[in-house]
């Protein structure tokens, strides 16, 4: 797995952990990757097709398990456990790549930010209201 990027390694590890399942959806795989990498944000983010393909090819070369890729009508990737290794056809691949341009995907940068001690997304909970009578007490002006 030395030639794989960080996100591709995480995808391969997640697929190895779920290799007993016969069907893995992109959403379930992305959730497993976020869980393994302990990424708190990007709950709706998917995975890039090229990253999934690279991870699947690596698993196939290691003879651990073979999968085939499929695309449903909503351009979601379905990974099926199969006896033959098969990637997407060219038309389906084009359709998926064009839909990735407008969607949020997990990248190696997300993993690098997490491993380098990047700041977690923090929601603002301290709301202050400014009243006319206590304007001197407000330190934000």
């Amino acid at each position: 797995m030395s030639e794989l990027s960080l996100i591709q390694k995480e995808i391969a590890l997640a697929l190895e952990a779920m290799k007993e399942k016969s069907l893995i959806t992109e959403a379930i795989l992305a959730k497993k990757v976020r869980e393994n990498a302990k990424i708190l944000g990007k709950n709706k983010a998917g995975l890039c097709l090229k990253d999934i393909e690279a991870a699947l090819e690596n698993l196939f070369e290691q003879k651990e398990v073979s999968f085939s890729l499929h695309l449903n009508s909503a351009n979601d990737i379905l990974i099926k456990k199969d006896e033959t290794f098969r990637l997407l056809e060219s038309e389906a691949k084009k359709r998926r790549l064009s839909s990735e341009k407008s969607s949020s995907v997990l990248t190696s940068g997300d993993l690098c930010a997490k491993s380098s001690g990047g700041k977690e997304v923090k929601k603002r909970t301290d709301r202050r209201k400014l009243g006319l009578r206590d304007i001197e007490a407000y330190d934000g002006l």
Side-chain angles (χ1 to χ4, degrees):
M1 277 201 270
S2 62
E3 68 275 352
L4 296 179
S5 68
L6 287 175
I7 191 69
Q8 293 168 352
K9 288 178 185 177
E10 285 294 329
I11 292 171
L13 290 173
L15 284 169
E16 285 178 27
M18 297 188 303
K19 66 183 176 185
E20 67 275 352
K21 293 187 176 190
S22 61
L23 176 68
I24 302 168
T25 63
E26 175 190 3
I28 292 172
L29 183 60
K31 182 178 178 181
K32 184 72 170 175
V33 168
R34 281 191 304 273
E35 180 182 298
N36 289 347
K38 295 178 177 66
I39 297 174
L40 299 178
K42 292 194 148 190
N43 290 336
K44 300 286 182 180
L47 298 170
C48 285
L49 176 63
K50 67 177 185 87
D51 292 335
I52 293 174
E53 286 178 341
L56 288 175
E57 286 177 13
N58 191 321
L59 286 176
F60 181 70
E61 288 172 2
Q62 294 178 356
K63 304 288 185 201
E64 290 190 22
V65 68
S66 63
F67 291 101
S68 63
L69 284 178
H70 301 277
L71 201 65
N72 67 8
S73 60
N75 290 333
D76 295 328
I77 298 172
L78 303 173
I79 304 165
K80 293 183 180 179
K81 194 173 185 180
D82 205 349
E83 293 178 10
T84 60
F85 175 71
R86 189 176 59 193
L87 298 177
L88 288 178
E89 297 172 358
S90 64
E91 188 174 319
K93 191 172 191 172
K94 278 185 195 178
R95 199 175 78 215
R96 169 61 190 198
L97 291 175
S98 67
S99 72
E100 278 183 10
K101 292 178 184 175
S102 62
S103 62
S104 174
V105 292
L106 289 172
T107 61
S108 292
D110 297 324
L111 297 175
C112 288
K114 184 64 182 170
S115 65
S116 66
K119 293 183 180 178
E120 296 179 9
V121 177
K122 188 174 181 182
K123 291 187 178 180
R124 186 174 167 195
T125 58
D126 58 335
R127 298 188 79 178
R128 299 170 113 188
K129 291 187 178 183
L130 178 62
L132 293 176
R133 298 182 187 212
D134 58 348
I135 197 159
E136 292 92 20
Y138 187 70
D139 61 345
L141 291 177

